[in-house]
Amino acid sequence: MRMGRIDGRLALLHNDRALDVERASNGKFAAEPDRVFERWDEFAQWSEGRSLDDAVPFAPAQVGAPVLRPSQVFAIGLNYQAHVAEAGVPPKITSPAVFTKFVTSITGPYDTVMLPSDRVDWEVELVAVIGRPGHRVSEKDGWSHVAGLTVGQDLSERTVQLAGPVPQFSLGKSYPGFSPIGPSLVSVDEFADPDDLALSCALDGEVLQDGRTKDLIFSVPELVARLSAVVPLVPGDLIFTGTPSGVGMGRNPERYLPPGGTLVSTVEGIGSLTNRLVAESSAHDTA
């Protein structure tokens, strides 16, 4: 099952066509997509085999983030070994580096992103969305608590992130628009192997990152287990699972996102984010 937010409303998606869920269910499910996660099992059962004969075409401009108001947004740092190496961190990682991205940073898959400085970095990520509440979930049950997967960008303003005396990961990664997600949420059963998906990002056609989620140090089920060992997980929560190598800060010389560029972030079987980049000062000048 593939779902998304079309003109702000919950929809089942197939290619470039959308079925409005509230209308198709005669009001059984609300139009607001964030509300569906509390009834995810019921919704998944209702949508199984649902005819899309009444689906209507939609355009990218109508598509919003599949989740806008999660209770919690977890993010994982240094979760691919090659990224650990480029970050200059000792190679033995025994527990995930966890931080949060604040909810106000979430934006849609085709939205314009304002760059607050000349040190904004890219990080394509697979994002897991929680569909069942869980506390102290075992790793073997981890996937059963995931509603689906989507594409995410963990954009990072490196100066703020690394300002001392201790790093400020959450602040540096939570400017408005710094968490684009979408374009759809795809249920786990749609993937032949949800533990092995290609992911990449490109700037104006130049590939910057190219990896596979099989190389995650901590897999999605293990992240669910480790996070829920401390924090009860709530339906709709997001887990940004980490980025492969190829980030700008890890290059020599360092490289960052330019105003005027277009960043495309892709995960196999889900789709792509396409975010145009503008300087914050320019956006204010034209507002």
Side-chain angles (χ1 to χ4, degrees):
M1 178 257 289
R2 187 180 295 264
M3 59 145 283
R5 183 185 300 267
I6 306 298
D7 289 332
R9 296 175 63 86
L10 177 63
L12 294 179
L13 307 179
H14 179 67
N15 297 327
D16 62 348
R17 299 176 69 84
L19 180 70
D20 186 279
V21 168
E22 185 186 45
R23 298 185 184 114
S25 68
N26 294 317
K28 182 176 183 178
F29 298 102
E32 170 51 55
D34 287 81
R35 293 178 58 184
V36 79
F37 298 105
E38 295 179 353
R39 302 172 61 191
W40 185 258
D41 288 340
E42 185 182 0
F43 175 65
Q45 184 177 19
W46 174 84
S47 65
E48 186 176 357
R50 180 67 47 181
S51 171
L52 297 181
D53 289 346
D54 294 329
V56 298
F58 65 90
Q62 297 173 261
V63 184
V67 187
L68 270 181
R69 291 183 293 276
S71 295
Q72 303 176 110
V73 182
F74 302 95
I76 309 300
L78 303 172
N79 203 18
Y80 289 79
Q81 200 62 56
H83 181 46
V84 172
E86 73 178 352
V89 175
K92 186 64 173 176
I93 304 293
T94 58
S95 62
V98 181
F99 56 95
T100 188
K101 289 171 73 72
F102 296 117
V103 171
T104 52
S105 68
I106 294 175
T107 196
Y110 305 111
D111 289 345
T112 296
V113 174
M114 292 189 294
L115 304 177
S117 77
D118 60 0
R119 296 197 76 229
V120 178
D121 209 341
W122 57 84
E123 296 188 13
V124 63
E125 308 206 7
L126 177 72
V127 177
V129 182
I130 297 300
R132 290 178 180 167
H135 190 204
R136 298 171 183 160
V137 177
S138 67
E139 183 177 348
K140 68 179 179 62
D141 293 330
W143 274 122
S144 71
H145 285 261
V146 176
L149 303 172
T150 192
V151 187
Q153 255 291 342
D154 174 21
L155 294 169
S156 310
E157 204 292 330
R158 297 301 192 189
T159 300
V160 172
Q161 177 192 343
L162 300 176
V166 294
Q168 297 281 354
F169 272 59
S170 296
L171 284 179
K173 292 168 174 282
S174 291
Y175 282 83
F178 269 31
S179 303
I181 59 172
S184 60
L185 176 72
V186 181
S187 59
V188 178
D189 61 342
E190 291 286 328
F191 300 95
D193 183 357
D195 287 301
D196 184 16
L197 303 174
L199 73 168
S200 64
C201 79
L203 177 67
D204 296 330
E206 177 191 357
V207 176
L208 302 174
Q209 292 180 279
D210 187 10
R212 299 196 70 89
T213 61
K214 69 178 181 180
D215 296 323
L216 284 166
I217 298 171
F218 303 100
S219 67
V220 172
E222 186 171 1
L223 290 174
V224 170
R226 285 178 175 259
L227 292 171
S228 71
V230 179
V231 181
L233 300 180
V234 178
D237 283 354
L238 304 182
I239 304 174
F240 282 71
T241 61
T243 197
S245 61
V247 301
M249 190 173 66
R251 297 172 181 245
N252 187 14
E254 294 182 1
R255 180 179 176 186
Y256 296 101
L257 293 171
T262 298
L263 188 65
V264 177
S265 312
T266 304
V267 176
E268 176 185 4
I270 302 173
S272 298
L273 314 174
T274 302
N275 298 108
R276 188 170 69 90
L277 310 168
V278 300
E280 191 172 58
S281 57
S282 299
H284 290 161
D285 291 343
T286 58

